[in-house]
Amino acid sequence: NAGVTQTPKFRILKIGQSMTLQCAQDMNHNYMYWYRQDPGMGLKLIYYSVGAGITDKGEVPNGYNVSRSTTEDFPLRLELAAPSQTSVYFCASSYSNNGYNEQFFGPGTRLTVL
Amino acid sequence: GQQVMQIPQYQHVQEGEDFTTYCNSSTTLSNIQWYKQRPGGHPVFLIQLVKSGEVKKQKRLTFQFGEAKKNSSLHITATQTTDVGTYFCAGRGAGGTSYGKLTFGQGTILTVHP
């Protein structure tokens, strides 16, 4: 199993540009999550999904959108990129097990908005 | 909303010294998980605690969950250079439908000097 994969690894955007961060998992996990990690900070939940077709906002959803058309994929869309979105983005997945489930993280995408 | 605070933010130790990081939640937790993130890497699951007063050990690492299920600690005995990284606690609130969502602490960055 490849686990959780993310592309791209690095990206530089100009202010106002848009992009999609890709995330895929091959573990047949129902739950998927997007986090951002700012320097010296913990992980902030952006959006999450409990299954295909079901998504919900996390702690910091403004400026982002998600979709979940399949169990495997959970892309994160940035519209009108702003410098405040400079961060490392992690995608994660877990089994549906009443919440008592470890999260498996992808390698991350390092995004810089200039 | 639920807040999880972690202290200290930084810890520098000499190899062989012990290390402890503490995690405190503003609300009662159903469970707490600990993750380790190596420099430049992604968070990796270490352990989960569920029961009040629970203590678990992994070699030199000892994890505790408080009696009130609002705090936790990670203690490393005789640190090694391989212990370098950021240690995160992450808790899920008791009750309600949190769908496996975890609230992460801001992490403790451990540096070990050989």
Side-chain angles (χ1 to χ4, degrees):
Chain A
N1 287 349
V4 180
T5 57
Q6 291 183 240
T7 56
K9 284 186 169 51
F10 304 93
R11 185 72 186 268
I12 298 175
L13 283 181
K14 294 183 179 179
I15 294 172
Q17 286 185 320
S18 300
M19 77 165 293
T20 299
L21 282 66
Q22 301 292 343
C23 174
Q25 53 91 11
D26 62 358
M27 297 176 282
N28 202 32
H29 287 172
N30 284 329
Y31 292 4
M32 296 188 75
Y33 314 85
W34 273 106
Y35 295 92
R36 59 176 288 171
Q37 183 178 30
D38 299 318
M41 303 294 287
L43 296 157
K44 301 292 186 184
L45 183 65
I46 305 171
Y47 270 95
Y48 67 100
S49 170
V50 301
I54 307 170
T55 63
D56 205 350
K57 297 177 181 178
E59 190 180 352
V60 289
N62 291 344
Y64 308 94
N65 276 300
V66 293
S67 60
R68 183 98 182 267
S69 56
T70 67
T71 299
E72 294 77 20
D73 300 298
F74 191 39
L76 178 70
R77 178 82 177 162
L78 277 72
E79 305 282 0
L80 299 175
S84 61
Q85 294 178 305
T86 293
S87 190
V88 180
Y89 291 84
F90 288 103
C91 178
S93 71
S94 63
Y95 288 112
S96 54
N97 188 25
N98 297 322
Y100 295 89
N101 41 32
E102 67 178 278
Q103 294 188 11
F104 294 82
F105 285 80
T109 294
R110 189 174 298 273
L111 175 68
T112 302
V113 182
L114 301 174
Chain B
Q2 181 183 341
Q3 292 186 335
V4 175
M5 304 299 294
Q6 203 172 338
I7 56 170
Q9 187 173 2
Y10 302 94
Q11 186 74 59
H12 309 278
V13 300
Q14 289 292 130
E15 190 173 19
E17 291 182 338
D18 292 355
F19 158 76
T20 304
T21 175
Y22 300 91
C23 185
N24 293 288
S25 171
S26 58
T27 59
T28 303
L29 300 171
S30 290
N31 54 310
I32 193 159
Q33 298 178 355
W34 286 89
Y35 291 79
K36 177 183 178 181
Q37 183 179 26
R38 295 184 186 275
H42 59 276
V44 175
F45 175 81
L46 292 176
I47 208 161
Q48 175 170 262
L49 303 170
V50 177
K51 299 176 183 176
S52 170
E54 189 170 16
V55 178
K56 286 188 176 181
K57 293 190 176 185
Q58 287 181 350
K59 297 183 180 178
R60 295 178 294 104
L61 278 62
T62 301
F63 303 84
Q64 291 188 314
F65 201 9
E67 293 290 340
K69 300 184 75 173
K70 294 183 72 174
N71 57 77
S72 181
S73 65
L74 158 59
H75 179 82
I76 301 178
T77 304
T79 55
Q80 300 175 358
T81 54
T82 53
D83 295 326
V84 164
T86 302
Y87 292 85
F88 292 101
C89 63
R92 189 174 76 92
T97 52
S98 59
Y99 294 115
K101 288 188 296 179
L102 296 170
T103 300
F104 280 79
Q106 63 267 52
T108 295
I109 300 171
L110 173 63
T111 306
V112 180
H113 300 284

Coordinates of all heavy atoms in Angstrom, one line a residue, chain A residues 39-92:
Chain A
P39 N 4.5 27.5 11.0 CA 5.7 27.3 11.8 C 5.5 27.4 13.3 O 4.9 28.4 13.8 CB 6.6 28.4 11.3 CG 6.1 28.7 9.9 CD 4.6 28.5 9.9
G40 N 5.9 26.4 14.0 CA 5.8 26.4 15.5 C 4.4 26.2 16.0 O 4.2 26.4 17.2
M41 N 3.5 25.9 15.1 CA 2.1 25.7 15.6 C 1.7 24.3 15.4 O 2.3 23.5 14.7 CB 1.2 26.6 14.7 CG 1.6 28.1 14.8 SD 1.3 28.8 16.4 CE -0.4 28.9 16.4
G42 N 0.6 24.0 16.0 CA 0.0 22.6 15.8 C -0.7 22.5 14.5 O -0.5 23.3 13.6
L43 N -1.5 21.5 14.4 CA -2.3 21.2 13.2 C -3.7 21.8 13.3 O -4.4 21.5 14.3 CB -2.3 19.7 12.9 CG -1.0 19.1 12.6 CD1 -1.0 17.6 13.0 CD2 -0.6 19.3 11.2
K44 N -4.1 22.6 12.3 CA -5.4 23.2 12.3 C -6.3 22.5 11.3 O -5.8 22.4 10.1 CB -5.4 24.7 12.1 CG -4.5 25.5 13.0 CD -5.2 25.5 14.4 CE -4.4 26.4 15.3 NZ -4.9 26.4 16.7
L45 N -7.4 22.0 11.7 CA -8.3 21.3 10.7 C -9.0 22.2 9.8 O -9.7 23.2 10.3 CB -9.3 20.4 11.5 CG -10.3 19.6 10.7 CD1 -9.5 18.5 10.0 CD2 -11.3 19.0 11.6
I46 N -8.9 22.0 8.5 CA -9.5 22.9 7.5 C -10.9 22.3 7.1 O -11.9 23.0 7.2 CB -8.6 23.0 6.2 CG1 -7.2 23.5 6.6 CG2 -9.3 24.0 5.2 CD1 -6.2 23.4 5.4
Y47 N -10.9 21.1 6.6 CA -12.1 20.4 6.2 C -11.9 18.9 6.5 O -10.8 18.4 6.6 CB -12.4 20.6 4.7 CG -13.2 21.8 4.3 CD1 -12.6 22.9 3.9 CD2 -14.6 21.7 4.3 CE1 -13.4 24.0 3.6 CE2 -15.4 22.8 4.0 CZ -14.7 24.0 3.6 OH -15.5 25.0 3.2
Y48 N -13.0 18.2 6.6 CA -13.0 16.8 6.8 C -14.1 16.1 6.0 O -15.1 16.8 5.7 CB -12.9 16.4 8.3 CG -14.2 16.7 9.0 CD1 -15.2 15.6 9.2 CD2 -14.5 17.9 9.5 CE1 -16.3 15.9 9.9 CE2 -15.7 18.2 10.2 CZ -16.6 17.2 10.4 OH -17.7 17.4 11.1
S49 N -14.0 14.8 5.9 CA -15.1 14.1 5.2 C -15.2 12.7 5.8 O -14.3 12.1 6.2 CB -14.7 13.9 3.7 OG -15.5 13.0 3.1
V50 N -16.5 12.3 6.0 CA -16.8 11.0 6.7 C -17.1 10.0 5.7 O -17.4 8.8 6.0 CB -17.9 11.2 7.7 CG1 -17.5 12.2 8.8 CG2 -19.2 11.5 7.1
G51 N -17.1 10.3 4.4 CA -17.4 9.4 3.3 C -17.6 10.1 2.0 O -17.7 11.3 2.0
A52 N -17.6 9.3 0.9 CA -17.8 9.9 -0.4 C -19.1 10.7 -0.4 O -20.2 10.3 0.1 CB -17.9 8.8 -1.4
G53 N -19.0 12.0 -0.9 CA -20.2 12.9 -1.0 C -20.5 13.6 0.3 O -21.4 14.5 0.3
I54 N -19.8 13.4 1.4 CA -20.0 14.1 2.6 C -18.8 14.9 3.1 O -17.8 14.3 3.4 CB -20.5 13.1 3.7 CG1 -21.6 12.2 3.2 CG2 -20.9 13.9 5.0 CD1 -21.9 11.1 4.2
T55 N -18.9 16.2 3.2 CA -17.8 17.0 3.7 C -18.3 18.0 4.7 O -19.5 18.3 4.7 CB -17.1 17.7 2.6 OG1 -18.0 18.7 2.0 CG2 -16.5 16.8 1.5
D56 N -17.4 18.5 5.6 CA -17.9 19.5 6.5 C -16.7 20.3 6.9 O -15.5 19.9 6.7 CB -18.4 18.8 7.8 CG -19.4 19.8 8.5 OD1 -19.4 21.0 8.2 OD2 -20.1 19.3 9.5
K57 N -17.0 21.6 7.4 CA -15.9 22.5 7.8 C -15.3 22.1 9.1 O -15.9 21.6 10.0 CB -16.5 23.9 7.9 CG -17.1 24.4 6.6 CD -17.8 25.8 6.9 CE -18.4 26.3 5.6 NZ -19.0 27.7 5.8
G58 N -14.0 22.4 9.1 CA -13.2 22.3 10.3 C -13.0 23.6 11.0 O -13.9 24.5 11.0
E59 N -11.9 23.8 11.6 CA -11.6 25.0 12.4 C -11.3 26.3 11.6 O -11.7 27.4 11.9 CB -10.4 24.7 13.3 CG -10.1 25.7 14.4 CD -8.9 25.3 15.2 OE1 -8.4 24.1 15.1 OE2 -8.5 26.1 16.0
V60 N -10.6 26.1 10.4 CA -10.2 27.2 9.6 C -10.5 27.0 8.1 O -9.6 26.9 7.3 CB -8.6 27.4 9.8 CG1 -8.3 28.0 11.1 CG2 -7.9 26.1 9.5
P61 N -11.8 27.0 7.7 CA -12.2 26.6 6.4 C -12.2 27.8 5.4 O -12.2 27.6 4.1 CB -13.6 26.2 6.5 CG -14.1 27.0 7.7 CD -12.9 27.1 8.6
N62 N -12.1 29.0 5.9 CA -12.2 30.2 4.9 C -11.1 30.2 3.9 O -9.9 30.1 4.3 CB -12.2 31.5 5.7 CG -13.5 31.6 6.6 OD1 -14.5 31.0 6.3 ND2 -13.4 32.5 7.5
G63 N -11.5 30.4 2.6 CA -10.5 30.4 1.6 C -10.2 29.1 0.9 O -9.4 29.0 0.0
Y64 N -10.9 28.1 1.4 CA -10.7 26.7 0.9 C -12.0 26.1 0.5 O -13.1 26.4 1.0 CB -10.0 25.8 1.9 CG -8.7 26.4 2.5 CD1 -8.8 27.1 3.7 CD2 -7.5 26.2 1.9 CE1 -7.6 27.7 4.2 CE2 -6.3 26.7 2.4 CZ -6.4 27.5 3.6 OH -5.2 28.0 4.1
N65 N -11.9 25.1 -0.4 CA -13.1 24.2 -0.7 C -12.6 22.8 -0.9 O -11.4 22.6 -1.3 CB -13.8 24.7 -2.0 CG -14.8 25.9 -1.7 OD1 -15.7 25.7 -0.9 ND2 -14.5 27.0 -2.3
V66 N -13.5 21.9 -0.7 CA -13.2 20.5 -0.9 C -14.3 19.8 -1.6 O -15.4 20.3 -1.7 CB -12.9 19.7 0.5 CG1 -11.6 20.3 1.2 CG2 -14.1 19.8 1.4
S67 N -14.0 18.6 -2.1 CA -15.0 17.7 -2.6 C -14.6 16.3 -2.3 O -13.4 16.0 -2.1 CB -15.1 17.9 -4.1 OG -13.9 17.7 -4.8
R68 N -15.5 15.3 -2.3 CA -15.2 13.9 -2.1 C -16.1 13.1 -2.9 O -17.1 12.6 -2.5 CB -15.4 13.6 -0.6 CG -15.0 12.2 -0.2 CD -13.6 12.1 0.4 NE -13.2 10.7 0.7 CZ -13.4 10.1 1.8 NH1 -14.0 10.8 2.8 NH2 -13.0 8.9 2.0
S69 N -15.7 12.9 -4.2 CA -16.5 12.1 -5.1 C -16.2 10.6 -5.0 O -17.1 9.8 -5.4 CB -16.3 12.6 -6.6 OG -14.9 12.6 -6.9
T70 N -15.1 10.3 -4.5 CA -14.7 8.9 -4.4 C -14.2 8.6 -2.9 O -13.8 9.6 -2.3 CB -13.7 8.4 -5.4 OG1 -12.4 9.0 -5.1 CG2 -14.1 8.7 -6.8
T71 N -14.1 7.4 -2.5 CA -13.5 7.1 -1.2 C -12.0 7.4 -1.2 O -11.5 7.8 -0.2 CB -13.7 5.6 -0.9 OG1 -15.1 5.3 -0.9 CG2 -13.1 5.2 0.4
E72 N -11.4 7.3 -2.3 CA -9.9 7.4 -2.4 C -9.4 8.8 -2.4 O -8.3 9.1 -1.9 CB -9.4 6.7 -3.6 CG -9.6 5.2 -3.6 CD -11.0 4.8 -4.0 OE1 -11.7 5.6 -4.6 OE2 -11.4 3.6 -3.7
D73 N -10.1 9.7 -3.0 CA -9.6 11.1 -3.3 C -10.3 12.2 -2.5 O -11.5 12.2 -2.3 CB -9.7 11.4 -4.8 CG -9.0 10.4 -5.6 OD1 -7.7 10.3 -5.5 OD2 -9.6 9.6 -6.4
F74 N -9.5 13.1 -2.1 CA -10.0 14.3 -1.3 C -9.2 15.5 -1.6 O -8.4 15.9 -0.9 CB -9.9 13.9 0.2 CG -10.7 14.9 1.1 CD1 -11.9 15.4 0.8 CD2 -10.1 15.2 2.4 CE1 -12.6 16.2 1.6 CE2 -10.8 16.1 3.2 CZ -12.1 16.6 2.9
P75 N -9.5 16.1 -2.7 CA -8.7 17.3 -3.1 C -9.1 18.6 -2.4 O -10.3 18.7 -2.0 CB -9.1 17.5 -4.6 CG -10.4 16.8 -4.8 CD -10.5 15.7 -3.8
L76 N -8.2 19.4 -2.2 CA -8.4 20.7 -1.5 C -8.1 21.8 -2.5 O -7.1 21.9 -3.1 CB -7.4 20.9 -0.3 CG -7.5 22.2 0.5 CD1 -8.8 22.3 1.3 CD2 -6.3 22.3 1.4
R77 N -9.1 22.7 -2.6 CA -9.0 23.8 -3.6 C -8.8 25.1 -2.9 O -9.5 25.4 -1.9 CB -10.4 23.9 -4.4 CG -10.4 25.0 -5.4 CD -9.8 24.6 -6.7 NE -9.9 25.7 -7.7 CZ -9.1 25.8 -8.8 NH1 -8.2 24.9 -9.0 NH2 -9.3 26.7 -9.7
L78 N -7.8 25.8 -3.4 CA -7.5 27.2 -2.9 C -8.0 28.2 -4.0 O -7.5 28.1 -5.1 CB -6.1 27.4 -2.6 CG -5.5 27.0 -1.3 CD1 -5.4 25.5 -1.2 CD2 -4.1 27.6 -1.0
E79 N -8.9 29.0 -3.7 CA -9.3 30.1 -4.6 C -8.7 31.4 -4.1 O -8.7 31.7 -3.0 CB -10.8 30.2 -4.6 CG -11.6 28.9 -4.9 CD -11.6 28.5 -6.4 OE1 -11.0 29.3 -7.2 OE2 -12.2 27.5 -6.7
L80 N -8.2 32.2 -5.1 CA -7.7 33.5 -4.8 C -6.7 33.4 -3.6 O -6.9 33.9 -2.5 CB -8.8 34.5 -4.4 CG -9.9 34.7 -5.5 CD1 -11.0 35.6 -4.9 CD2 -9.2 35.4 -6.7
A81 N -5.5 32.8 -3.9 CA -4.5 32.6 -2.9 C -4.1 33.9 -2.2 O -3.9 34.9 -2.9 CB -3.3 31.9 -3.5
A82 N -3.8 33.8 -0.9 CA -3.4 35.0 -0.2 C -2.1 34.6 0.6 O -2.0 33.4 1.0 CB -4.5 35.4 0.8
P83 N -1.3 35.6 1.0 CA -0.1 35.2 1.7 C -0.4 34.5 3.0 O 0.5 33.7 3.5 CB 0.6 36.6 2.0 CG 0.1 37.5 0.9 CD -1.3 37.0 0.6
S84 N -1.5 34.7 3.6 CA -1.9 34.0 4.9 C -2.1 32.5 4.7 O -2.1 31.8 5.7 CB -3.2 34.6 5.5 OG -4.2 34.5 4.5
Q85 N -2.2 32.1 3.4 CA -2.3 30.7 3.2 C -1.0 30.0 3.0 O -0.9 28.8 2.7 CB -3.2 30.5 1.9 CG -4.7 30.9 2.2 CD -5.6 30.7 1.0 OE1 -5.3 31.3 -0.1 NE2 -6.6 30.0 1.2
T86 N 0.1 30.7 3.1 CA 1.4 30.1 3.1 C 1.5 29.2 4.3 O 1.4 29.6 5.5 CB 2.5 31.2 3.2 OG1 2.5 32.0 2.0 CG2 3.9 30.6 3.4
S87 N 1.8 27.9 4.1 CA 1.7 26.9 5.1 C 2.2 25.6 4.6 O 2.4 25.4 3.4 CB 0.3 26.8 5.7 OG 0.3 26.0 6.9
V88 N 2.2 24.6 5.5 CA 2.4 23.2 5.0 C 1.0 22.5 5.2 O 0.4 22.6 6.3 CB 3.5 22.5 5.8 CG1 3.6 21.0 5.4 CG2 4.8 23.2 5.7
Y89 N 0.6 21.9 4.2 CA -0.7 21.2 4.2 C -0.6 19.7 4.3 O 0.1 19.1 3.5 CB -1.5 21.6 2.9 CG -1.9 23.1 2.9 CD1 -1.0 24.1 2.5 CD2 -3.2 23.5 3.4 CE1 -1.4 25.4 2.5 CE2 -3.5 24.8 3.4 CZ -2.6 25.8 3.0 OH -2.9 27.1 3.0
F90 N -1.3 19.1 5.2 CA -1.3 17.7 5.4 C -2.7 17.1 5.2 O -3.6 17.6 5.7 CB -0.8 17.3 6.8 CG 0.7 17.5 7.0 CD1 1.1 18.6 7.8 CD2 1.6 16.6 6.5 CE1 2.5 18.8 8.0 CE2 3.0 16.9 6.7 CZ 3.4 18.0 7.5
C91 N -2.7 16.1 4.4 CA -3.9 15.3 4.3 C -3.8 14.1 5.2 O -2.7 13.5 5.3 CB -4.1 14.9 2.8 SG -5.5 13.9 2.5
A92 N -4.9 13.6 5.8 CA -4.8 12.4 6.6 C -6.1 11.6 6.4 O -7.1 12.1 5.9 CB -4.7 12.8 8.1

